């Protein structure tokens, strides 16, 4: 098991550089299966989820190689099988992108049901609705999704819920389909736009990504090329919040300020001073944080993936705050752990009411998922009275490259204790359990 051990109380100061976006990378790597050529994907975060997705496409006979730490070369000129039923495919949520990519390329696919972070039911009915609308037959049996079609034909698809995964998956299936596909009520997240830009760079015709309506004009073939992934909005937001809670002064570099607008707006409401440049945001913390209310929503709303981190900030604000979780059914599971630091939070369904306290105290915590783990790190950075120990830190590594090193460079006291063998087994077991629950 991997642990992060944090002695809180240090003000974070200096610069931190944001890595490439995890949720763009885990979609773009499968998207490269559509390319009859060689793709060099730059600014890939070197994190567990990315490594697992590239392992999953390796099992299809595709050649993948990290030619530099953050550059992955994918040669998908030859793909030996359309079946991704190996164990590794089920270990990450994003393996569902193999469905759209392989269906798009071969018009047939078999993929083991995805695992991933556990915060309630994570259906894929909208993905399936999209594939069926394009003309595929989809059967789910014994944990395997099987889809096939003689040909895929462009059509109009209205998503009943705004889903990042369904929007991207339908885009993947549609780029090589015949005719025009229109996705209505599409997700507008920055990584949806990034996947569209990647596909367009390789010869696809995808228009309107970043709006409610995406139009995909099917082409016969995609060609290889180079692409650089956008910065990670959630990693950037996590560092912004870490700076704000510790009384710090941190410049978060290599981000896209427009992606951070909902986060900056909330921090400003809390009294934080935000200065934006072309590709950086400087965060200067106030003496005390003011309370505020937050509702998570699809982009451009406040991101659900920053909700746990925000809950920690609000826990030390001067007054009462409220968070409404507007995306996931069950994303307050971490609150019980967080309360061990003295945070005062009451949850009722999708609403958390937070009474600010004057300080958090150090505790032994267990990360329940990736973003909950990041929230616990933020709590540890301000907790007083000793060391905060965060168990299951391997969850945090799924999404944050070099988090410990980055925080130490900003002046935090963070060390790590690792038992790699146990770590791998624990992670695998938890993901298997989540998969059974999905
Ligand atoms: N939903 C359905 N049916 C579907 C798909 C989704 O009802 O077919 C519902 C979900 O239950 C949820 C909502 O729609 O209530 C949004 O789900 P979405 O499909 O947008 O989520 P996702 O694609 O599975 C991605 C990110 C998550 C992030 C969500 C929301 C990846 C690999 N994961 O998940 O990121 O929370 O979008 O922004 O892109 C994380 O990075 O920690 C993480 C969990």
């Amino acid at each position: 098991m991997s642990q992060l051990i944090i002695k809180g109380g240090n003000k974070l100061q200096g610069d931190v550089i944001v890595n490439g976006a995890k949720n763009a990378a885990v979609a773009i790597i499968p998207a490269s299966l559509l390319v009859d050529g060689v793709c060099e994907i730059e600014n890939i975060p070197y994190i567990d989820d990315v490594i697992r997705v590239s392992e999953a496409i390796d099992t299809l006979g595709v050649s993948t190689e990290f030619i530099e730490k953050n550059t992955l070369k994918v040669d998908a000129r030859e793909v030996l099988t359309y079946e991704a039923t190996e164990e590794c495919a089920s270990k990450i949520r994003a393996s569902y992108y193999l469905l759209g990519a392989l269906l798009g390329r071969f018009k047939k696919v078999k993929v083991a049901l995805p695992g991933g972070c556990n915060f309630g039911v994570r259906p894929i009915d909208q993905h399936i609705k999209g594939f069926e609308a394009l003309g595929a037959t989809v059967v789910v049996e014994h944990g395997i999704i099987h889809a096939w079609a003689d040909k895929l034909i462009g059509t109009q698809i209205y998503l009943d819920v705004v889903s990042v995964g369904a929007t991207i998956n339908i885009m993947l299936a549609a780029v090589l389909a015949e005719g025009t596909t229109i996705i209505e009520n599409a997700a507008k997240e920055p990584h949806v736009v990034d996947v569209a830009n990647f596909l367009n760079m390789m010869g696809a015709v995808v228009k309107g990504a970043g709006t409610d309506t995406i139009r995909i004009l099917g082409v016969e073939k995609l060609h290889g090329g180079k692409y650089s992934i956008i910065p990670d909005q959630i990693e950037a937001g996590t560092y912004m919040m870490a700076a704000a809670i510790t009384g710090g002064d941190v410049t978060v570099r290599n981000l896209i300020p427009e992606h951070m607008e909902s986060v900056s707006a909330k921090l400003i409401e809390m009294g934080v001073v935000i200065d934006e440049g072309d590709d950086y945001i400087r965060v200067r913390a106030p003496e005390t944080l003011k309370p505020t209310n937050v509702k998570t929503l699809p982009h451009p709303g406040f991101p659900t993936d920053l909700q746990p981190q925000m809950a920690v900030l609000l826990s030390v604000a001067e007054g009462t705050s409220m968070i409404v979780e507007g995306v996931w059914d069950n994303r307050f599971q971490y609150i019980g752990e967080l309360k061990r630091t003295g945070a005062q939070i009451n949850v009722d369904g999708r609403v958390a009411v937070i009474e600010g306290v004057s300080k958090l105290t150090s505790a032994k915590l267990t990360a329940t998922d990736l973003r909950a783990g990041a929230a616990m790190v933020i709590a540890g950075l301000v907790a007083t009275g000793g060391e905060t120990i965060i168990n299951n830190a391997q969850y945090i590594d799924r999404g944050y490259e070099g988090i410990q090193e980055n925080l130490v460079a900003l002046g935090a006291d963070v060390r790590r204790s690792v038992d790699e063998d146990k770590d791998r087994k624990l992670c695998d077991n938890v993901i298997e359990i989540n998969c059974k629950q999905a």
Side-chain angles (χ1 to χ4, degrees):
M1 184 175 66
S2 173
Q3 291 180 326
L4 283 176
I5 302 158
I6 306 176
K7 197 158 172 230
N10 296 0
K11 292 185 179 191
L12 299 191
Q13 271 171 342
D15 291 13
V16 62
I17 296 174
V18 175
N19 293 290
K22 168 182 91 82
N23 288 343
V26 298
I28 286 175
I29 296 169
S32 62
L33 290 172
L34 287 160
V35 176
D36 190 4
V38 181
C39 297
E40 271 184 34
I41 312 163
E42 297 169 348
N43 204 30
I44 293 243
Y46 197 76
I47 49 176
D48 279 7
D49 273 18
V50 161
I51 293 164
R52 284 176 188 260
V53 181
S54 48
E55 280 171 8
I57 71 167
D58 269 348
T59 64
L60 306 174
V62 172
S63 150
T64 63
E65 185 192 352
F66 275 95
I67 51 175
E68 282 172 40
K69 188 171 171 222
N70 299 104
T71 303
L72 182 71
K73 186 171 161 188
V74 182
D75 181 349
R77 280 174 294 188
E78 239 186 285
V79 184
L80 298 180
T81 172
Y82 60 90
E83 295 191 12
T85 49
E86 298 272 335
E87 207 193 339
C88 62
S90 64
K91 282 192 180 147
I92 44 153
R93 183 77 191 154
S95 59
Y96 54 43
Y97 292 132
L98 297 172
L99 280 170
L102 290 169
L103 183 64
R105 176 132 178 199
F106 294 110
K107 315 297 175 241
K108 53 189 174 184
V109 60
K110 270 189 186 178
V111 172
L113 273 171
C117 280
N118 179 25
F119 32 79
V121 181
R122 297 185 69 173
I124 56 166
D125 56 295
Q126 298 302 306
H127 306 228
I128 293 173
K129 172 180 167 175
F131 300 148
E132 287 177 340
L134 290 168
T137 302
V138 184
V139 174
V140 183
E141 247 176 11
H142 312 300
I144 307 278
I145 306 176
H146 185 189
W148 68 94
D150 288 337
K151 52 184 175 179
L152 297 173
I153 299 176
T155 184
Q156 191 153 348
I157 300 159
Y158 175 82
L159 295 180
D160 300 315
V161 287
V162 179
S163 160
V164 171
T167 303
I168 293 178
N169 234 342
I170 296 167
M171 257 170 21
L172 299 184
V175 284
L176 300 177
E178 286 178 21
T180 301
T181 302
I182 300 171
I183 309 174
E184 309 258 32
N185 200 25
K188 300 189 280 254
E189 268 64 8
H191 37 289
V192 173
V193 180
D194 209 35
V195 177
N197 288 341
F198 166 81
L199 292 167
N200 286 341
M201 188 79 99
M202 305 304 154
V205 183
V206 180
K207 294 179 181 168
T211 74
D212 293 317
T213 306
I214 300 180
R215 284 187 167 70
I216 304 138
L217 182 60
V219 295
E220 273 188 13
K221 205 173 153 167
L222 300 188
H223 54 72
K226 270 194 189 182
Y227 190 75
S228 183
I229 285 181
I230 51 162
D232 196 303
Q233 175 203 29
I234 307 302
E235 188 192 14
T238 302
Y239 287 122
M240 287 170 70
M241 291 185 194
I245 202 170
T246 58
D249 179 351
V250 171
T251 302
V252 185
R253 296 197 178 275
N254 186 38
L255 50 64
I256 298 175
E258 297 77 56
H259 293 172
M260 308 311 303
E261 272 168 11
S262 61
V263 179
S264 295
K266 282 293 150 189
L267 290 179
I268 290 167
E269 280 177 28
M270 295 179 76
V272 177
V273 180
I274 298 283
D275 296 307
E276 283 183 11
D278 286 346
D279 65 350
Y280 69 85
I281 291 180
R282 181 176 176 196
V283 178
R284 278 177 288 165
E287 280 291 302
T288 50
L289 291 166
K290 291 186 221 158
T292 189
N293 297 327
V294 176
K295 179 167 186 183
T296 69
L297 288 168
H299 192 79
F302 189 92
T304 175
D305 293 341
L306 284 169
Q307 179 258 97
Q309 301 88 317
M310 192 61 170
V312 180
L313 253 69
L314 297 175
S315 293
V316 292
E318 264 193 336
T320 307
S321 304
M322 188 167 70
I323 297 183
V324 179
E325 171 55 50
V327 177
W328 294 107
D329 281 339
N330 198 2
R331 208 172 190 176
F332 285 124
Q333 285 171 339
Y334 65 91
I335 296 280
E337 279 300 296
L338 191 57
K339 281 165 111 173
R340 296 159 70 93
T341 63
Q344 286 193 14
I345 307 176
N346 284 313
V347 176
D348 184 4
R350 284 180 170 226
V351 179
V353 177
I354 304 173
E355 297 293 342
V357 293
S358 59
K359 65 180 171 57
L360 300 181
T361 46
S362 55
K364 276 194 178 173
L365 304 174
T366 299
T368 47
D369 67 58
L370 162 60
R371 306 304 174 188
M376 286 166 198
V377 170
I378 293 180
L381 292 172
V382 278
T384 55
E387 290 183 330
T388 295
I389 298 174
I390 303 168
N391 292 319
N392 283 355
Q394 70 277 3
Y395 277 140
I396 303 167
D397 299 329
R398 286 183 48 195
Y400 294 88
E401 181 180 336
I403 189 166
Q404 182 209 350
E405 294 77 5
N406 284 342
L407 290 172
V408 167
L410 292 173
D413 184 342
V414 186
R415 61 200 164 80
R416 185 184 284 268
S417 133
V418 188
D419 177 342
E420 276 181 12
D421 198 35
K422 271 197 205 148
D423 194 24
R424 180 52 78 146
K425 279 188 195 134
L426 183 74
C427 194
D428 287 356
N429 285 342
V430 172
I431 288 167
E432 255 168 48
I433 292 162
N434 290 345
C435 184
K436 279 178 197 144
Q437 287 172 344

